[in-house]
Amino acid sequence: MKKWLQKGRFLSLFAMLALLLMGCGDPTLSALIPQGEVADKQFQLMLISISIMILVLVVVFVLYAFVLLKFRKKKGDNSTPKQVEGNHMLELLWTVIPILLLIILAVPTVMRTFEFSADAKPASKNELSIKVTGHQYWWEFEYPKEELITSQELVLPADTKVHVELSSADVIHSFWIPSLAGKTDTNPGDKNKNYMWFDTGSKTDVVYKGKCAELCGASHALMDFKVRVVSKEDYKNWVAGYKAADDKSSANADGQQVFEKNCLSCHAVGQNGGNTGPSLTGFGDKDRVAGILEHDKENLKKWIKDPQEVKPGNNMPKVNLSDEEIDAVSDYLLGLKLK
Ligand code: CUA
């Protein structure tokens, strides 16, 4: 009786843990809630393989239970059961069935692998071209045709096929938007570029989360980005607004001075500034500081004051600024809005 109680306790603990872990899912960061053609088809592949695995599991366990019960040693019976060796039928069965299962798995997987591969050039004129560059620890997105560069946030029109060219400025990263497509590595070096495509799905005004999926250093786990899918019209407006943005879009003159003196050599605003750090165009409209912190002034000040504290190992230097200067430049940055 006591033993059963203990077992019951273990089971309920297990059930509670399972329930708790179910809450860990994030619908905007899940390959199990696919959006768009590529993610849909990849999800189908997962279903095929999981179904086969479950089938194998059930058959093996049923056979196991059957043998365990049927051939268990009975009281007073010391005879050896009939031994089966070299049974052609059995050997044939357990060779042919796995081969068939592997074929069922392999054919769609290989077909999809070719379907999802991409060349250096987009397959059609209607595809939107994006160049993705991984940096320790942020993402740069270039729209070559639109002639603009963003960081951390990829804005895309809905119902659009996107052709992606991937490279890295330093070490190997991996570009992953679980809701839209599987991951692809970004490699350093011009000769090692990867290409992929995905489509953005029909939903508009949604944000999908993206992750770096390759261990790339101390802040690998903090290398997040966002994909915002909007209507085609909103996308056009966004492009126009982004291109029109300049470093004067914030009304804070003191902060602008601090920014121009200390930050502009690495960070661009509009067409102005360097490109070793992420572009800060429209920074006031973003919803994360450094890609991970809540988007408010306190966090921005914390980040500028000591970037290593927030994202260990990143390349942003600790700039020698007074508290007043940090305050002013934070106001300036938060005031940078797209028209
Ligand atoms: Cu970049 Cu992990």
Side-chain angles (χ1 to χ4, degrees), residues 37 41 54 86-87 102 115 128 139 177 180-181 196 214 227 235 248 258 277 284 310 329 334:
E37 185 192 342
K41 288 178 174 171
I54 291 176
N87 184 315
L102 281 179
E115 190 184 335
L128 175 66
W139 295 93
I177 317 159
L180 296 178
M196 68 182 285
E214 176 75 49
V227 181
Y235 174 73
K248 281 144 198 99
V258 178
V310 177
V329 84
L334 291 169

Side-chain angles (χ1 to χ4, degrees), residues 135 137 139 171-174 212-217 219-221 223:
H135 296 257
Y137 299 94
W139 295 93
V171 299
I172 301 175
H173 305 272
S174 187
C212 176
E214 176 75 49
L215 183 59
C216 55
S219 288
H220 153 70
M223 199 170 154

Side-chain angles (χ1 to χ4, degrees), residues 1-15:
M1 186 65 191
K2 220 178 164 192
K3 249 188 171 171
W4 276 106
L5 260 179
Q6 270 171 351
K7 268 186 193 164
R9 217 184 285 167
F10 174 75
L11 265 181
S12 51
L13 193 73
F14 184 76

